[in-house]
Coordinates of all heavy atoms in Angstrom, one line a residue:
C87 N 3.2 -1.6 -0.4 CA 2.2 -1.6 0.8 C 2.0 -0.1 1.3 O 1.0 0.4 1.4 CB 2.7 -2.4 2.0 SG 1.4 -2.6 3.1
G88 N 3.1 0.7 1.4 CA 3.0 2.1 1.8 C 2.3 2.9 0.8 O 1.4 3.6 1.2
M89 N 2.4 2.6 -0.4 CA 1.7 3.4 -1.5 C 0.0 3.1 -1.3 O -0.6 4.1 -1.8 CB 2.2 3.0 -2.9 CG 3.5 3.5 -3.3 SD 4.0 2.7 -4.8 CE 3.2 3.8 -6.0
S90 N -0.3 2.0 -0.9 CA -1.7 1.6 -0.8 C -2.3 2.3 0.3 O -3.6 2.3 0.4 CB -1.9 0.1 -0.8 OG -1.5 -0.5 0.4
V91 N -1.6 2.5 1.4 CA -2.2 2.9 2.7 C -3.1 4.2 2.6 O -4.2 4.2 3.2 CB -1.2 3.0 3.8 CG1 -1.7 3.8 5.0 CG2 -0.6 1.8 4.2
R92 N -2.6 5.2 2.0 CA -3.4 6.5 1.9 C -4.7 6.3 1.4 O -5.7 6.9 2.0 CB -2.6 7.4 1.0 CG -3.1 8.9 1.0 CD -2.2 9.7 0.2 NE -2.4 11.1 0.6 CZ -2.0 11.7 1.7 NH1 -1.2 11.0 2.5 NH2 -2.3 12.9 1.9
S93 N -5.0 5.5 0.4 CA -6.4 5.4 -0.2 C -7.2 4.3 0.3 O -8.4 4.3 0.1 CB -6.3 5.5 -1.7 OG -5.4 4.5 -2.2
T94 N -6.5 3.3 0.8 CA -7.3 2.1 1.3 C -7.4 2.1 2.9 O -8.6 2.2 3.3 CB -6.7 0.8 0.9 OG1 -5.3 0.7 1.4 CG2 -6.6 0.6 -0.7
S95 N -6.4 2.1 3.6 CA -6.5 1.9 5.0 C -6.1 3.3 5.8 O -5.8 3.1 7.0 CB -5.7 0.8 5.5 OG -4.4 0.9 5.1
G96 N -6.2 4.4 5.3 CA -6.0 5.7 5.9 C -6.7 5.8 7.2 O -6.2 6.5 8.1
R97 N -7.9 5.3 7.3 CA -8.7 5.4 8.5 C -8.6 4.1 9.4 O -9.3 4.0 10.3 CB -10.1 5.7 8.1 CG -10.4 7.0 7.5 CD -11.9 7.2 7.4 NE -12.2 8.4 6.5 CZ -12.6 9.6 7.2 NH1 -12.6 9.6 8.3 NH2 -12.8 10.6 6.3
A98 N -7.8 3.2 9.0 CA -7.8 1.9 9.7 C -7.4 2.0 11.1 O -6.6 3.0 11.6 CB -6.8 1.0 9.0
T99 N -8.1 1.1 12.0 CA -7.7 1.1 13.4 C -6.7 0.1 13.7 O -6.2 0.0 14.7 CB -9.1 1.0 14.2 OG1 -9.7 -0.3 13.8 CG2 -10.0 2.2 14.1
A100 N -6.7 -0.9 12.7 CA -5.7 -2.0 12.9 C -5.4 -2.6 11.5 O -6.3 -2.7 10.7 CB -6.1 -3.1 13.9
N101 N -4.2 -3.0 11.4 CA -3.8 -3.8 10.2 C -3.9 -5.3 10.7 O -3.4 -5.6 11.7 CB -2.4 -3.5 9.7 CG -2.1 -4.1 8.3 OD1 -3.0 -4.2 7.5 ND2 -0.8 -4.7 8.2
L102 N -4.6 -6.1 9.9 CA -4.8 -7.5 10.5 C -3.9 -8.5 9.9 O -3.8 -9.6 10.4 CB -6.3 -7.8 10.2 CG -7.4 -7.0 10.8 CD1 -8.8 -7.4 10.5 CD2 -7.2 -6.9 12.4
G103 N -3.3 -8.3 8.7 CA -2.3 -9.2 8.2 C -2.2 -9.1 6.7 O -3.2 -8.6 6.0
W104 N -1.2 -9.9 6.2 CA -1.0 -10.1 4.8 C -1.0 -11.6 4.4 O -0.7 -12.4 5.2 CB 0.4 -9.6 4.4 CG 0.6 -8.1 4.6 CD1 0.3 -7.1 3.7 CD2 1.1 -7.4 5.7 NE1 0.6 -5.9 4.2 CE2 1.2 -6.1 5.4 CE3 1.7 -8.0 7.0 CZ2 1.6 -5.2 6.4 CZ3 2.2 -7.0 7.8 CH2 2.1 -5.7 7.5
D105 N -1.5 -12.0 3.3 CA -1.7 -13.3 2.8 C -1.3 -13.3 1.4 O -1.2 -12.2 0.6 CB -3.1 -13.9 2.9 CG -3.5 -14.1 4.4 OD1 -2.8 -14.7 5.0 OD2 -4.6 -13.5 4.8
K106 N -0.9 -14.5 0.9 CA -0.7 -14.7 -0.5 C 0.4 -13.8 -1.2 O 0.1 -13.3 -2.3 CB -2.0 -14.8 -1.3 CG -3.0 -15.9 -0.8 CD -4.3 -15.8 -1.6 CE -5.3 -16.7 -0.9 NZ -6.6 -16.6 -1.6
I107 N 1.5 -13.6 -0.4 CA 2.5 -12.8 -1.0 C 3.2 -13.4 -2.0 O 3.7 -14.5 -1.9 CB 3.5 -12.2 0.1 CG1 2.6 -11.5 1.2 CG2 4.6 -11.4 -0.5 CD1 3.5 -11.3 2.4
R108 N 3.3 -12.8 -3.3 CA 3.9 -13.5 -4.4 C 4.9 -12.4 -5.1 O 4.6 -11.3 -5.3 CB 3.0 -13.8 -5.5 CG 2.0 -15.0 -5.0 CD 2.7 -16.2 -4.7 NE 1.7 -17.3 -4.2 CZ 1.6 -17.5 -2.9 NH1 2.2 -16.8 -2.1 NH2 0.8 -18.5 -2.6
L109 N 6.1 -13.0 -5.2 CA 7.1 -12.1 -6.0 C 7.3 -12.7 -7.5 O 7.8 -13.8 -7.5 CB 8.5 -12.2 -5.2 CG 8.3 -11.9 -3.7 CD1 9.6 -12.1 -3.0 CD2 8.1 -10.4 -3.7
T110 N 6.9 -12.0 -8.4 CA 6.7 -12.6 -9.8 C 7.7 -12.0 -10.8 O 7.7 -12.6 -11.9 CB 5.3 -12.3 -10.2 OG1 5.0 -10.9 -10.2 CG2 4.3 -13.1 -9.3
H111 N 8.5 -11.0 -10.4 CA 9.3 -10.4 -11.5 C 10.4 -9.6 -10.8 O 10.1 -9.0 -9.8 CB 8.5 -9.5 -12.4 CG 9.1 -9.0 -13.7 ND1 10.0 -7.9 -13.8 CD2 9.2 -9.5 -14.9 CE1 10.4 -7.7 -14.9 NE2 9.9 -8.7 -15.6
P112 N 11.7 -9.6 -11.3 CA 12.8 -8.8 -10.6 C 12.5 -7.4 -10.7 O 11.9 -6.8 -11.6 CB 13.9 -9.3 -11.3 CG 13.5 -9.7 -12.7 CD 12.1 -10.4 -12.5
V113 N 13.1 -6.5 -9.7 CA 13.1 -5.2 -9.7 C 14.5 -4.8 -9.5 O 15.2 -5.3 -8.8 CB 12.2 -4.6 -8.6 CG1 12.3 -3.0 -8.5 CG2 10.8 -5.0 -8.8
F114 N 14.9 -3.7 -10.3 CA 16.3 -3.2 -10.3 C 16.3 -1.7 -10.0 O 15.3 -1.1 -10.3 CB 16.9 -3.5 -11.6 CG 17.0 -4.9 -12.0 CD1 16.0 -5.4 -13.0 CD2 17.9 -5.8 -11.5 CE1 16.1 -6.7 -13.3 CE2 18.0 -7.1 -11.8 CZ 17.0 -7.6 -12.8
A115 N 17.4 -1.2 -9.5 CA 17.5 0.2 -9.2 C 17.3 0.9 -10.6 O 17.7 0.5 -11.7 CB 18.9 0.5 -8.8
G116 N 16.5 1.9 -10.4 CA 16.0 2.8 -11.6 C 14.6 2.5 -12.0 O 14.1 3.2 -12.9
D117 N 14.1 1.3 -11.6 CA 12.8 0.9 -12.0 C 11.7 1.9 -11.2 O 11.8 2.1 -10.2 CB 12.3 -0.5 -11.7 CG 13.0 -1.5 -12.6 OD1 13.5 -1.0 -13.7 OD2 13.1 -2.7 -12.3
T118 N 10.7 2.4 -11.9 CA 9.6 3.1 -11.3 C 8.5 2.2 -11.0 O 8.0 1.4 -11.9 CB 9.2 4.3 -12.2 OG1 10.3 5.1 -12.5 CG2 8.1 5.0 -11.5
L119 N 8.0 2.2 -9.7 CA 7.1 1.3 -9.2 C 5.7 2.1 -9.0 O 5.6 3.3 -8.6 CB 7.4 0.7 -7.9 CG 8.8 0.1 -7.8 CD1 9.1 -0.4 -6.4 CD2 9.1 -0.9 -8.9
Y120 N 4.7 1.4 -9.4 CA 3.3 1.8 -9.2 C 2.6 0.7 -8.5 O 3.0 -0.4 -8.5 CB 2.6 2.2 -10.4 CG 3.2 3.3 -11.3 CD1 4.1 3.1 -12.2 CD2 2.8 4.6 -10.9 CE1 4.8 4.1 -12.9 CE2 3.5 5.7 -11.5 CZ 4.4 5.4 -12.5 OH 4.9 6.5 -13.1
A121 N 1.4 1.0 -7.9 CA 0.5 0.0 -7.3 C -0.9 0.2 -7.5 O -1.3 1.4 -7.8 CB 0.8 0.0 -5.8
E122 N -1.6 -0.8 -7.3 CA -3.2 -0.7 -7.4 C -3.8 -1.8 -6.5 O -3.1 -2.8 -6.4 CB -3.7 -0.8 -8.8 CG -3.5 -2.0 -9.7 CD -4.1 -1.9 -11.0 OE1 -3.7 -0.9 -11.7 OE2 -4.8 -2.9 -11.5
S123 N -5.0 -1.4 -5.9 CA -5.6 -2.3 -5.1 C -7.0 -2.6 -5.5 O -7.7 -1.6 -5.9 CB -5.6 -1.8 -3.6 OG -4.2 -1.6 -3.1
R124 N -7.4 -3.9 -5.4 CA -8.9 -4.2 -5.6 C -9.5 -4.7 -4.4 O -8.9 -5.6 -3.7 CB -8.8 -5.2 -6.8 CG -10.3 -5.7 -7.3 CD -10.2 -6.5 -8.4 NE -9.2 -7.6 -8.4 CZ -9.4 -8.9 -8.0 NH1 -10.6 -9.2 -7.5 NH2 -8.5 -9.8 -8.0
I125 N -10.7 -4.2 -4.2 CA -11.4 -4.6 -2.9 C -12.0 -6.1 -3.2 O -12.8 -6.2 -4.0 CB -12.5 -3.6 -2.6 CG1 -11.9 -2.2 -2.4 CG2 -13.2 -4.1 -1.2 CD1 -10.7 -2.1 -1.3
L126 N -11.5 -7.0 -2.4 CA -12.0 -8.4 -2.6 C -13.2 -8.7 -1.6 O -14.1 -9.5 -2.0 CB -10.9 -9.2 -2.1 CG -9.6 -9.3 -3.0 CD1 -8.6 -10.3 -2.5 CD2 -9.9 -9.6 -4.5
A127 N -13.2 -8.2 -0.4 CA -14.4 -8.5 0.5 C -14.5 -7.3 1.7 O -13.5 -6.6 1.9 CB -14.0 -9.7 1.3

Side-chain angles (χ1 to χ4, degrees):
C87 189
M89 289 172 80
S90 74
V91 167
R92 183 174 204 79
S93 56
T94 58
S95 58
R97 291 185 188 261
T99 56
N101 192 37
L102 301 177
W104 296 274
D105 290 303
K106 301 178 184 175
I107 299 169
R108 299 292 178 264
L109 308 168
T110 56
H111 192 271
V113 174
F114 302 100
D117 285 346
T118 299
L119 312 181
Y120 295 96
E122 61 183 49
S123 297
R124 181 172 45 96
I125 305 304
L126 300 177

